[in-house]
Amino acid sequence: MTIHRKAAASALAIAALLISAVGAHGKPAIADPLVRADTSFSRFALNQVTDPKVIGRLVNEQDCTETAIDCEWQDSAGVRHIIFGEAVAIKIINAAEVGNRDIAALNIGTARARPEVMARVRAFLPEIAIDCLEPGQAGEGDGISSCGGSFKPDGWIKLLFGPDNRLTFVRIDAFQGN
């Protein structure tokens, strides 16, 4: 092999390593799948103390002076944040509220049909086993299917699809609540 070929082969190997370390949007990939998933929803990290007023507007309660699990704070991208104690515990996206806009969470983008959404989510989180339950098995209501997976040591994601097999909700939880 000539010096030029060796240099080219080395350059290609370095490029391949760089590409594998970079996510879909040209940002460095985050190794920990829970952190990667969490960050894809919003900058307000799960399990971190956060002043809910910094997140955005209160969307579902009149009085949230005492941080309550029933209070949802929505950021400018439409992600609802639920605080437990003083830390972010749950993040939810209602696909109807977002409409056709890009959903950064789990790299969903503009996909809404279940096969495309699940292909994107599985590609974004290849380390996580994601299983789906069909309507009648999911326990989410008539015609609703559910797909989800768990992170180690804690945390999980859930995606709900309506009777038309289109995305309705995306959710990430910091821990399993009782």
Side-chain angles (χ1 to χ4, degrees):
M1 204 182 258
T2 67
I3 293 174
H4 294 296
R5 285 187 182 173
K6 285 182 181 178
S10 294
L12 285 173
I14 291 169
L17 285 172
L18 289 173
I19 289 168
S20 69
V22 174
H25 299 290
K27 298 177 185 172
I30 299 170
D32 183 293
L34 175 57
V35 175
R36 185 179 335 124
D38 178 22
T39 304
S40 75
F41 275 79
S42 77
R43 67 183 179 94
F44 304 102
L46 291 172
N47 285 322
Q48 295 297 311
V49 173
T50 302
D51 177 359
K53 294 176 187 117
V54 173
I55 294 170
R57 70 184 186 94
L58 180 64
V59 293
N60 69 332
E61 289 287 328
Q62 296 299 318
D63 181 19
C64 283
T65 51
E66 293 294 320
T67 304
I69 196 118
D70 294 334
C71 299
E72 295 181 8
W73 302 83
Q74 189 172 43
D75 68 14
S76 60
V79 179
R80 293 178 182 230
H81 299 71
I82 297 173
I83 309 292
F84 187 72
E86 295 181 345
V88 176
I90 302 168
K91 299 178 186 180
I92 301 170
I93 299 171
N94 179 332
E97 289 178 357
V98 175
N100 293 329
R101 291 189 338 243
D102 187 67
I103 296 176
L106 308 177
N107 198 36
I108 292 169
T110 57
R112 296 298 184 269
R114 181 172 155 187
E116 186 180 357
V117 169
M118 293 314 302
R120 287 171 167 258
V121 172
R122 285 185 171 119
F124 185 72
L125 294 170
E127 312 89 339
I128 303 301
I130 300 175
D131 299 315
C132 294
L133 296 172
E134 298 306 319
Q137 299 172 322
E140 299 288 347
D142 284 343
I144 307 295
S145 60
S146 170
C147 298
S150 298
F151 300 95
K152 292 180 182 175
D154 220 352
W156 53 278
I157 57 169
K158 182 185 278 189
L159 299 96
L160 298 180
F161 297 89
D164 59 355
N165 236 5
R166 296 191 53 82
L167 182 67
T168 58
F169 286 93
V170 183
R171 173 179 173 147
I172 187 167
D173 286 58
F175 50 85
Q176 182 68 41
N178 291 333

